[in-house]
Amino acid sequence: MIGYLPGRSSLHRAHPYTPLAVAAGLLFLAFAFRSPAAVWAVVVAAAAFAAAGGVLGAVLRPAAMLALPTWILLTVLHGLLGGPPHLALGPLALSAPGVERALVFGGRIAAILFAFLTALATVAPPRLVEAMTARGVPFGRIYLLVSTLTVVPRMRARVRQIIDAQQCRGLRIGGSPLARVRALGPLVVPLVLSALAEVDEQALALDVRGGSAAGRRTALAPPADHAGDRLVRWTVLVGVVAAYAWKFAGAGR
Amino acid sequence: MTALVTLERVGFRYPGSARPALRDVSVTIDAGTVTGVTGLVGSGASTLLLVAGGFAPRLTGGALTGTRHLATERVGIVFATPWTQLTGLASTVLGEVAFGPASLGRPREAVLAAAERALRDLGVAHLAERDPATLSGGELQRVVVASVLAMAPDLLVLDDPAAELDPAGADGLYALLPSVAARGAAVLVATPDTERLARVADRVLALEDGRLVRAGPATAVLDDTDVARIARAAGCPAPLPLDVAAALGRIAR
């Protein structure tokens, strides 16, 4: 999994709402289509989105790691256990409608992963905070969203520290699957306990710094929302509405 | 002097704990003074800070007995570990320090002026554009203290604030406390560093097993520092010097 990756791409420089809107638009488009070709066209668009942000390489590996088990499961479930007609693939007989369904579902998962990992990698959390503050979003909602976006990198850093500390004390994390499972205890317990302690102190720290204050916060450096950003977001909205209109008109195949 | 905090026969018990963390504590904290709190680990010093600052039981849970009167809502707190006290929502030190005043909805110029003044007071103005994640523990702790001072608290509560600082940084931090008090704030600091405390505290509270066992001027309460013990053994008349600087001053006279 990845978090924000600093860069100078157009997505990094865009208003933070723009990459998020594009990611959300790709998600909706992936579900608007029912044919494998159309869904995989959305996957290609999502990959192009990642490339535009200069993060295609960084996004590819975690997306594949997350998608691959689901693709295998979908292929087994729908391809091998689906109904006729069947296609002969060497010694295997794959269900043609099952394979089509697996391609659609697998494509949707791929598109969602590409889109949202790209948004995560290109939207700097502090800029998103400023953008939301400038729009008058209550701090509680901002914190909820941004802490969710940043939780994975923070947990990874903490896991790394705990692994280092436990290895210094003789913990072996390699070996057989059983040994790896055994090693989880000394890693998970301090991870959970330290996370709980941090939550307590951070709640106090935010409280004394006005985190729970009523009223509108002051945005110190709100990111510029250029006409180009607004055009992209409106285009995404119109595209999604058009795709769903097309779908509900019965032409979505 | 104006009493900012008045505790009368206060007791406190954490949730799930059978043993009270504070027992029958009566004390007054005045504006414009530095009050030190000392005691062994588990003596209740940190709990006294949380109770006096109004954080316990509001944020910690637990049960408070006795009477507490807190004459202000503007309370700042600093813990020993700086990493848990960052908002995680700012990409620069200036943004981190400005977070509190911005939460109060003050005008942008006033927010930035308060943040810059606090950074100057802590001697870390040169770090203003740095990413907080790249700072050392000592630098970060000074940023955390600046973040709290930028809120101009009436009551500043510090729990072992120099634990992560080098000796020079700790000296600088403790030297700042009387100037905060001189602006009219009450400063309440818990620390095992009795020598530095002796230099700045107008009054010291000593706790044992949750009870207030001694209270008075530093020279009366902190008579067991290393320097004081040496001075006593050498037959030095009272009041005993409590730190090296005081001893050198005595010798010079």
Side-chain angles (χ1 to χ4, degrees):
Chain A
M1 291 291 285
I2 58 172
Y4 174 67
L5 301 171
R8 300 282 310 151
S9 76
S10 54
L11 291 187
H12 287 87
R13 285 181 278 116
H15 188 277
Y17 284 6
T18 304
L20 290 174
V22 174
L26 287 166
L27 180 149
F28 282 112
L29 285 177
F31 283 92
F33 301 122
R34 286 175 291 203
S35 76
V39 170
W40 279 89
V42 178
V43 176
V44 171
F49 175 51
V55 294
L56 182 58
V59 160
L60 202 55
R61 189 163 174 265
M65 281 174 64
L66 289 168
L68 208 55
T70 318
W71 285 347
I72 292 169
L73 186 68
L74 287 169
T75 306
V76 170
L77 274 180
H78 294 283
L80 296 180
L81 306 177
H86 285 85
L87 308 165
L89 189 71
L92 296 175
L94 294 176
S95 160
V99 167
E100 193 175 312
R101 273 198 299 277
L103 282 170
V104 170
F105 294 153
R108 284 173 179 165
I109 289 167
I112 292 167
L113 285 171
F114 266 128
F116 279 95
L117 288 174
T118 300
L120 262 181
T122 56
V123 175
R127 292 187 79 227
L128 180 60
V129 171
E130 285 293 293
M132 295 174 80
T133 301
R135 298 285 167 99
V137 178
F139 176 71
R141 288 184 204 167
I142 297 175
Y143 188 70
L144 192 66
L145 175 66
V146 175
S147 59
T148 306
L149 294 179
T150 57
V151 71
V152 171
R154 280 191 288 137
M155 292 298 263
R156 277 185 65 180
R158 191 196 306 276
V159 165
R160 190 68 257 166
Q161 286 176 336
I162 292 171
I163 287 174
D164 288 348
Q166 300 292 49
Q167 282 182 317
C168 287
R169 292 193 275 174
L171 178 74
R172 294 176 67 185
I173 56 172
S176 68
L178 190 62
R180 286 168 185 262
V181 170
R182 279 203 201 105
L184 276 178
L187 300 179
V188 171
V189 172
L191 180 69
V192 172
L193 292 180
S194 62
L196 290 175
E198 180 180 320
V199 164
D200 270 353
E201 285 203 359
Q202 194 163 45
L204 268 170
L206 286 171
D207 186 73
V208 299
R209 290 168 67 189
S212 53
R216 190 167 175 155
R217 294 187 74 237
T218 305
L220 298 176
D225 194 7
H226 298 293
D229 283 297
R230 293 194 294 276
L231 178 67
V232 169
R233 297 201 297 269
W234 277 109
T235 305
V236 167
L237 181 64
V238 170
V240 168
V241 170
Y244 275 86
W246 187 57
K247 175 183 180 174
F248 291 124
R253 285 195 65 86
Chain B
M1 278 192 239
T2 312
L4 269 183
V5 184
T6 307
L7 304 180
E8 288 173 16
R9 308 202 65 180
V10 160
F12 183 76
R13 196 188 299 267
Y14 284 103
S17 171
R19 183 176 155 272
L22 282 184
R23 307 162 194 250
D24 207 23
V25 173
S26 296
V27 68
T28 301
I29 311 294
D30 292 321
T33 61
V34 177
T35 303
V37 185
T38 65
L40 299 175
V41 173
S43 64
S46 296
T47 306
L48 177 60
L49 300 193
L50 293 174
V51 168
F55 303 110
R58 182 169 63 91
L59 294 175
T60 62
L64 183 78
T65 57
T67 307
R68 171 181 60 193
H69 178 67
L70 184 56
T72 180
E73 290 184 351
R74 287 167 50 186
V75 183
I77 190 164
V78 175
F79 296 103
T81 317
W83 294 276
T84 58
Q85 298 171 78
L86 296 178
T87 61
L89 305 176
S91 58
T92 65
V93 164
L94 183 64
E96 181 68 31
V97 176
F99 179 89
S103 295
L104 302 179
R106 292 177 186 160
R108 184 176 178 278
E109 293 70 26
V111 169
L112 292 176
E116 285 163 358
R117 188 170 55 245
L119 285 171
R120 276 198 306 275
D121 285 347
L122 268 295
V124 285
H126 61 287
L127 302 176
E129 295 307 317
R130 289 268 300 274
D131 180 346
T134 65
L135 302 184
S136 70
E139 289 171 330
L140 209 50
Q141 184 69 325
R142 280 188 275 176
V143 169
V144 167
V145 176
S147 302
V148 173
L149 287 183
M151 300 285 285
D154 292 327
L155 173 61
L156 175 61
V157 176
L158 305 105
D159 190 354
D160 200 3
E164 296 287 338
L165 299 184
D166 55 34
D171 285 342
L173 176 61
Y174 275 91
L176 179 74
L177 301 184
S179 65
V180 175
R183 292 179 209 159
V187 179
L188 186 59
V189 53
T191 178
D193 186 350
T194 49
E195 293 193 8
R196 287 195 175 87
L197 191 59
R199 286 181 220 155
V200 300
D202 299 299
R203 196 164 61 118
V204 174
L205 313 173
L207 292 171
E208 276 180 26
D209 197 25
R211 294 182 193 280
L212 181 62
V213 291
R214 298 169 83 182
T219 46
V221 177
L222 300 176
D223 58 0
D224 62 345
T225 65
D226 289 341
V227 173
R229 279 199 290 270
I230 293 167
R232 190 183 296 116
C236 183
L240 295 172
L242 303 179
D243 58 38
V244 174
L248 290 174
R250 184 78 71 87
I251 292 165
R253 284 202 303 273

